[in-house]
């Protein structure tokens, strides 16, 4: 097993789970009709990354399969699928009202912590620009 690849996969999975949880919570709060499909796609992505982690643990090369999968995800999911919900967020997504469904505290662009029921500003680095 390649320990560097294992570390990268672990960090990718940690970030991905956190990002997906925030995205799904936001879409739930906004009553996005495509939420179930987003969740299905997110779980599928997580399962594939788990497969890569297992293959690496077995000493197998991830090579082209992992690279192709991640490239396809970036192009097809982020650039196409995620854009579908931009209309739910509106033209100005920098300010979104949340509910307690957010589950904890929310990071604001001003880098201070607020309660989820307060007004939050989404981090453009995390959710991309529409």
């Amino acid at each position: 097993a390649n320990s560097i690849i294992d570390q990268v996969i672990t960090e990718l999975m940690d970030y991905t789970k956190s990002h997906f949880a925030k995205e799904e919570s936001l879409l739930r709060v906004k009553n996005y009709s495509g939420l179930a499909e987003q969740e299905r796609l997110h779980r599928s992505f997580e399962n594939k990354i788990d497969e890569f982690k297992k293959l690496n643990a077995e000493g197998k090369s991830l090579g082209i399969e992992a690279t192709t999968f991640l490239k396809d995800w970036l192009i097809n999911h982020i650039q196409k699928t995620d854009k579908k919900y931009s209309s739910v967020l509106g033209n100005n997504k920098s300010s979104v009202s949340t509910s307690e469904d957010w589950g904890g505290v929310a990071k604001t662009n001003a880098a201070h912590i607020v309660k989820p029921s307060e007004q939050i500003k989404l981090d453009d680095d995390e959710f991309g620009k529409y």
Side-chain angles (χ1 to χ4, degrees), residues 16-67:
T16 298
K17 285 185 176 184
S18 172
H19 174 83
F20 286 169
K22 291 175 186 176
E23 181 181 302
E24 290 166 13
S25 293
L26 174 63
L27 295 176
R28 191 171 297 108
V29 166
K30 298 304 261 178
N31 295 314
Y32 178 57
S33 64
L35 176 60
E37 178 64 7
Q38 277 291 97
E39 290 173 326
R40 185 189 68 74
L41 292 169
H42 289 168
R43 298 304 80 76
S44 176
F45 179 87
E46 291 168 351
N47 290 338
K48 192 65 173 178
I49 299 304
D50 279 340
E51 285 179 34
F52 291 146
K53 189 170 180 74
K54 288 174 188 170
L55 288 172
N56 184 61
E58 294 168 0
K60 297 179 180 170
S61 174
L62 303 181
I64 294 173
E65 181 185 2
T67 304

Side-chain angles (χ1 to χ4, degrees), residues 4 17-18 26 29 40 48 60 62-64 73 79 86 94 98 101 113 119-120 123-124 130:
I4 294 172
K17 285 185 176 184
S18 172
L26 174 63
V29 166
R40 185 189 68 74
K48 192 65 173 178
K60 297 179 180 170
L62 303 181
I64 294 173
W73 177 267
Q79 294 295 317
S86 64
S94 64
T98 67
D101 289 341
I113 303 300
Q119 200 75 2
I120 65 167
D123 187 349
D124 279 334
Y130 299 95

Side-chain angles (χ1 to χ4, degrees), residues 38 41-42 72-82:
Q38 277 291 97
L41 292 169
H42 289 168
D72 286 347
W73 177 267
L74 290 171
I75 293 169
N76 293 316
H77 185 80
I78 295 172
Q79 294 295 317
K80 295 177 183 172
T81 307
D82 282 356

